[in-house]
Amino acid sequence: MNDIIKFEKIKDNAAPTEVVYVTIKEFGELVKRYLIKAGCGVKLLQSNNLYGESAGENIIQSANDWEADIFVSIHCNAFDKTVRGAETLVYDLKGEGYGLGRCIHAQLIETMQDIDGTFPDRGIRTRSLLAVLRSTIMPAVLVETAFIDNDIDALLLMNHQQEIAAAIARGITDYWVQINGQ
């Protein structure tokens, strides 16, 4: 996955009027700000190394060495321009990663459906082959926020970054409260 996403602002089905570049790293920075305000320590890492096969910084090893409490990988999905919605990927449906995924996914879907009542909930799905879910030693999730190749989802991603980031951060803090009984 490229870390730069290109969005074209479209008015009334006319030609694009403005091109906006948004990076997944920007979403991460926004989530980080919300979490720091909540008293969390945050380390941002960037990689395309989801399956563990490409060279570069090994974010899994970095997260494991840092002894992070959780690992959250933020993405935008793509398929065939017709599919919409958010999904959260976990290693399995019984571990702590699933609990983290449920908290984040619930906040993300509630937020997105408040913005757009037709926004689809694609659910929590298992992806046991993803290295970021398989090889981390802490609860881990991969959040697919929306589909960048769908015009409606792309506009949501472009125009509601703050809300999306806040939802992810709320899901993380919900999980923290849940496991600590606060």
Side-chain angles (χ1 to χ4, degrees):
M1 160 169 267
N2 297 326
D3 70 324
I4 295 181
I5 301 166
K6 175 182 166 183
F7 293 112
E8 295 178 347
K9 288 187 177 178
I10 301 171
K11 292 184 180 174
D12 301 325
N13 297 324
T17 57
E18 179 182 349
V19 177
V20 178
Y21 290 91
V22 177
T23 68
I24 292 300
K25 189 172 182 180
E26 287 175 8
F27 274 99
E29 292 287 348
L30 291 170
V31 172
K32 178 180 179 178
R33 273 191 248 148
Y34 286 114
L35 291 173
I36 287 172
K37 285 181 183 177
C40 300
V42 180
K43 183 174 186 179
L44 293 182
L45 304 167
Q46 177 67 36
S47 174
N48 298 329
N49 195 15
L50 296 180
Y51 290 96
E53 73 281 357
S54 61
E57 178 185 18
N58 186 323
I59 61 171
I60 297 160
Q61 191 63 49
S62 294
N64 289 343
D65 288 348
W66 193 49
E67 298 180 359
D69 294 311
I70 63 168
F71 184 96
V72 178
S73 188
I74 304 170
H75 294 256
C76 296
N77 220 335
F79 185 62
D80 69 0
K81 299 185 181 195
T82 64
V83 181
R84 298 187 60 211
E87 62 189 19
T88 301
L89 308 179
V90 297
Y91 180 76
D92 61 33
L93 297 177
K94 57 186 171 207
E96 287 190 39
Y98 177 61
L100 173 62
R102 280 193 350 234
C103 290
I104 294 171
H105 192 75
Q107 286 287 348
L108 180 60
I109 292 302
E110 180 179 342
T111 296
M112 297 303 277
Q113 289 179 346
D114 282 349
I115 296 166
D116 173 357
T118 67
F119 188 80
D121 177 352
R122 294 179 48 84
I124 299 173
R125 300 172 182 229
T126 60
R127 291 292 187 281
S128 60
L129 296 180
L130 292 179
V132 296
L133 303 177
R134 181 185 72 235
S135 300
T136 47
I137 60 175
M138 70 289 298
V141 300
L142 188 150
V143 180
E144 295 281 10
T145 54
F147 280 77
I148 62 170
D149 62 346
N150 177 283
D151 291 342
I152 298 167
D153 276 14
L155 287 171
L156 291 171
L157 288 166
M158 183 172 55
N159 295 323
H160 298 281
Q161 294 172 41
Q162 293 283 342
E163 295 98 321
I164 294 167
I168 293 169
R170 281 193 311 274
I172 292 167
T173 57
D174 287 353
Y175 174 73
W176 189 252
V177 168
Q178 178 181 299
I179 64 168
N180 289 298
Q182 297 174 351

